[in-house]
């Protein structure tokens, strides 16, 4: 899953690997490397999801919270997401899910934060959905 290497590196550096491994069934909205590159929020993103080849550690307080903002308990495939309406992240943030013209969007606080660019990537204890932007403001 090379397209998620920066997100995965952030999970490792935030010491959240055990959270993923020990989860019974989870859904992860994983921003791709392109989603984490550049943009107006790049300084914040670099503190949460440092570059893979860099030596910077993830922020010890904010990075785990940022990771949990991308995780929902339960295995929710794309069909279920289209019907879900709203799900609560592990960070306590409600995500609104909207499907229009075959595109699934993830909204936080009524504001569109990301689109699902690739859905239903299986993993051993859940499902991953690739998104085009991080779910942080």
């Amino acid at each position: 899953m090379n397209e998620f290497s920066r997100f995965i590196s952030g999970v490792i550096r935030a010491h959240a690997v055990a959270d993923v491994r020990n989860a019974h069934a989870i859904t992860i909205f994983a921003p791709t490397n392109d989603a984490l590159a550049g943009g107006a929020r790049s300084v914040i993103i670099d503190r949460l999801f440092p570059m893979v080849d860099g030596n910077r550690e993830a922020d010890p307080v904010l990075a785990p919270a940022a990771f949990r903002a991308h995780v929902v308990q339960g295995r929710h495939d794309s069909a279920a997401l289209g019907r879900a309406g709203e799900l609560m992240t592990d960070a306590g943030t409600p995500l609104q899910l909207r499907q229009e013209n075959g595109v699934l969007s993830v909204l936080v606080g009524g504001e569109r934060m990301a689109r699902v660019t690739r859905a239903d990537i299986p993993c051993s204890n859940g499902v991953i959905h690739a998104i085009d932007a991080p779910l942080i403001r």
Side-chain angles (χ1 to χ4, degrees):
M1 295 208 189
N2 201 26
E3 70 183 305
F4 303 112
S5 60
R6 189 166 175 187
F7 182 74
I8 292 168
S9 177
V11 172
I12 292 167
R13 291 176 183 194
H15 307 288
V17 173
D19 295 340
V20 175
R21 284 190 181 144
N22 296 330
H24 174 66
I26 60 174
T27 299
I28 299 175
F29 293 93
T32 63
N33 290 346
D34 288 343
L36 294 173
R41 298 179 289 177
S42 65
V43 172
I44 295 169
I45 297 301
D46 285 345
R47 295 285 299 162
L48 302 175
F49 304 105
M51 296 298 290
V52 175
D53 56 356
N55 292 323
R56 173 184 281 167
E57 286 298 312
D59 184 289
V61 175
L62 299 178
F67 167 68
R68 288 191 307 270
H70 293 83
V71 177
V72 174
Q73 292 300 308
R75 186 182 303 251
H76 303 279
D77 64 13
S78 57
L81 291 177
R83 297 185 307 269
E86 185 171 293
L87 296 170
M88 188 68 67
T89 69
D90 283 5
T93 306
L95 298 180
Q96 296 85 36
L97 301 148
R98 303 282 185 269
Q99 188 149 13
E100 296 177 8
N101 301 321
V103 176
L104 185 63
S105 293
V106 182
L107 295 84
V108 177
E111 176 185 343
R112 186 181 78 77
M113 296 295 292
R115 288 179 300 127
V116 174
T117 57
R118 196 169 73 155
D120 302 328
I121 303 165
C123 61
S124 62
N125 59 345
V127 63
I128 299 168
H129 302 290
I131 55 175
D132 66 355
L135 299 177
I136 57 171
R137 294 191 233 186

